[in-house]
C-alpha cells in the first residue's frame, strides 16, 4: 500500500513510518520543508534498515492512497486546506490528539468545536474518508524497531470500508490489535486518552499505551 | 474499613458492594429510599454470601469514613448538597461518569463546567478529600463474584494520602490493579473513557475494561 505521512518528520510520524515500512508498505514522509522530509527519510532508512522517501506535504498527499495526519492539532486546519484537493477520494487516518502543556498540570486536552480533531478534519476534507486511529501509541515505542509492542489501537470512522482497511493495517503491524471504536463521534474520547497517558508517563517514567479488556 | 456507597442500589453500587465486601470491608448501601437500600442489601447478601447493610443516603454518609458516590451525574449536585456536612473530613470516591444516551450515536459524554464530575464534587464538598476512581470497571463484572477481573483502575486525586488509601483499596480487590492517574484534573479523561467503553460493549457484545500497558 502507498502511504504518506503528512507532518511526518515529528515523533509520531517517524514512529509510524518505521512500523508501516517494516510491515511492507511503501512509505513517504511529508513535511512543509521538503529538505527536512528527505533528511529524516534518509536517517530513518539507514538507522532502521527500511526504505522511506521524503517529499513536501502536497507532493506526499498526491503520491498516496492512504494518508496519515500527524501534525500538531494547531497546524491541522491550515495543512488540510492547503492539500484538500489532493486528498479527495482518499483515506485519511487522523492521529491527532489536540492538547497543550500547562505548568503544574501537565498535558491538557484542548476543546475542539467540532468535538474532536478527526471530526474537524472530516468537516474540512468533505470528499475524503476520515478514520481516527493510533493516537494512544507511544511515538518512541513505534520508532524503536526492536521493541515488541503489546497494545491496542482504537479505530473510529463513519465509513465502514475505510475502517476495515485501517483495522487491517493495524493488524499488519506486529503485536498491535485493532479495536472497532465505532463512529467518528467516539474519536474525542480516544483523543483525550492521549493527555492522560502523557501524564501517566510522567508519573511512572514509562511509555504507556492502552488495552481494552474483555475482548 | 467502613465504606458507604451513596446511590448504591444502582448497578455500579451493587457491583462495588459485592467486591468491597468480598475484600473484607464493612459495606453499607445508601439510597434516597431506605427500604430500597435494605431490600438490595438483603438480596446481595443472600445471593453472593456477603454481609451488606442498607440505610438512607444521609445515615449511610454518617456511618462511614470512606464514601463512594455512584449516582447518575444528573443527581450528583443535589445529593452532595444534602449530605455535605456528613462528608466533612472524609474520603469521597467519585465513580461518576457524566453521560447521556443519544439515538443513533450511543453513549455520549456530557460537558461539565468544572471539567469533570469529580472536580464538580470537590467544588461542593470543600471539606472532604475527593478521589476519582472505578469509572471504567463494568458494573456487571463487579457484581458477578465468580468472574475473575483483569483490568486497571485509574485513580486521580489532589490529596496524596487519600489517593494512596484508594489505590490500596483497589489492590485489595482481587485482580484489579490501581494506576496513579495524577491530579483530579485528569479525571475528565478517565470519566470520558466510560462512554467509549459503553459503545465498544455494544459493538462487541462484551463488558469492556481498560489496562494501561508499559507499567
Amino acid at each position: 500500500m502507498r502511504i504518506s505521512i503528512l507532518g511526518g518528520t515529528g515523533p509520531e510520524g517517524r514512529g509510524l513510518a518505521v512500523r508501516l515500512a517494516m510491515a511492507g508498505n511503501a512509505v513517504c514522509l511529508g513535511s512543509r520543508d521538503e529538505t527536512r522530509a528527505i533528511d529524516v527519510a534518509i536517517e530513518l532508512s539507514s538507522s532502521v534498515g527500511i526504505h522511506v522517501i521524503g517529499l513536501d506535504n502536497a507532493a506526499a498527499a498526491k503520491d498516496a492512497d492512504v494518508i496519515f495526519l500527524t501534525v500538531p492539532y494547531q497546524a491541522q486546519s491550515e495543512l488540510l486546506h492547503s492539500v484538500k484537493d489532493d486528498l479527495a477520494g482518499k483515506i485519511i487516518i487522523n492521529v491527532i490528539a489536540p492538547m497543550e502543556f500547562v505548568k503544574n498540570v501537565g498535558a491538557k486536552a484542548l476543546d475542539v468545536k467540532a468535538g474532536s480533531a478527526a471530526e474537524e478534519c472530516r468537516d474540512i476534507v468533505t470528499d475524503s474518508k476520515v478514520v481516527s486511529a493510533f493516537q494512544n501509541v507511544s511515538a518512541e515505542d513505534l520508532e524503536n524497531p526492536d521493541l515488541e509492542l503489546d497494545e491496542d489501537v482504537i479505530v473510529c470512522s463513519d465509513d465502514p470500508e475505510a475502517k476495515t482497511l485501517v483495522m487491517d493495517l493495524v493488524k499488519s503491524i506486529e503485536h498491535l490489535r485493532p479495536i472497532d471504536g465505532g463512529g467518528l463521534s467516539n474519536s474525542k474520547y480516544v483523543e483525550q486518552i492521549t493527555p492522560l497517558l502523557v501524564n501517566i508517563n510522567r508519573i511512572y517514567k514509562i511509555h504507556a499505551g492502552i488495552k481494552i479488556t474483555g475482548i
Side-chain angles (χ1 to χ4, degrees), chain A:
Chain A
M1 207 179 300
R2 294 179 70 81
I3 296 173
S4 282
I5 305 175
L6 307 192
T9 58
E12 196 71 20
R14 297 163 57 107
L16 285 166
V18 167
R19 297 291 175 160
L20 292 165
M22 284 168 68
N25 300 288
V27 176
C28 171
L29 291 183
S31 171
R32 273 186 305 186
D33 175 353
E34 187 180 13
T35 311
R36 170 107 181 110
I38 294 169
D39 286 350
V40 173
I42 291 171
E43 181 205 330
L44 283 181
S45 298
S46 68
S47 72
V48 185
I50 52 175
H51 184 60
V52 172
I53 64 166
L55 291 170
D56 69 70
N57 278 327
K62 273 196 194 73
D63 191 54
D65 309 306
V66 173
I67 288 126
F68 281 76
L69 281 190
T70 61
V71 289
Y73 170 68
Q74 292 80 350
Q76 163 172 283
S77 175
E78 191 188 332
L79 170 63
L80 285 175
H81 280 104
S82 73
V83 296
K84 188 177 169 177
D85 293 342
D86 299 314
L87 299 177
K90 299 183 176 180
I91 292 175
I92 314 295
I93 305 178
N94 197 308
V95 184
I96 297 168
M99 59 180 175
E100 60 182 344
F101 288 86
V102 178
K103 212 179 159 181
N104 299 324
V105 171
K108 185 174 179 298
L110 291 169
D111 281 329
V112 175
K113 212 176 165 192
S116 61
E119 287 163 291
E120 184 181 307
C121 171
R122 175 202 59 199
D123 294 346
I124 297 172
V125 291
T126 45
D127 294 329
S128 306
K129 297 161 188 172
V130 176
V131 179
S132 143
F134 287 101
Q135 298 93 339
N136 305 325
V137 186
S138 151
E140 291 79 3
D141 286 357
L142 286 172
E143 194 174 338
N144 177 355
D146 301 322
L147 190 135
E148 191 167 298
L149 301 167
D150 179 25
E151 59 199 279
D152 290 344
V153 173
I154 301 173
V155 181
C156 303
S157 181
D158 297 329
D159 185 304
E161 274 179 46
K163 193 202 277 178
T164 301
L165 181 142
V166 175
M167 290 181 71
D168 288 342
L169 194 60
V170 172
K171 228 181 289 177
S172 75
I173 299 176
E174 259 189 49
H175 304 298
L176 284 188
R177 180 178 67 159
I179 300 287
D180 184 346
L184 221 52
S185 58
N186 289 325
S187 185
K188 175 183 178 178
Y189 315 131
V190 182
E191 294 174 19
Q192 297 205 2
I193 292 173
T194 304
L196 175 66
L197 295 179
V198 168
N199 293 331
I200 288 175
N201 285 347
R202 190 182 299 190
I203 294 168
Y204 286 92
K205 318 281 177 221
I206 55 162
H207 298 156
I210 67 152
K211 268 195 171 179
I212 302 297
T213 64
I215 298 186

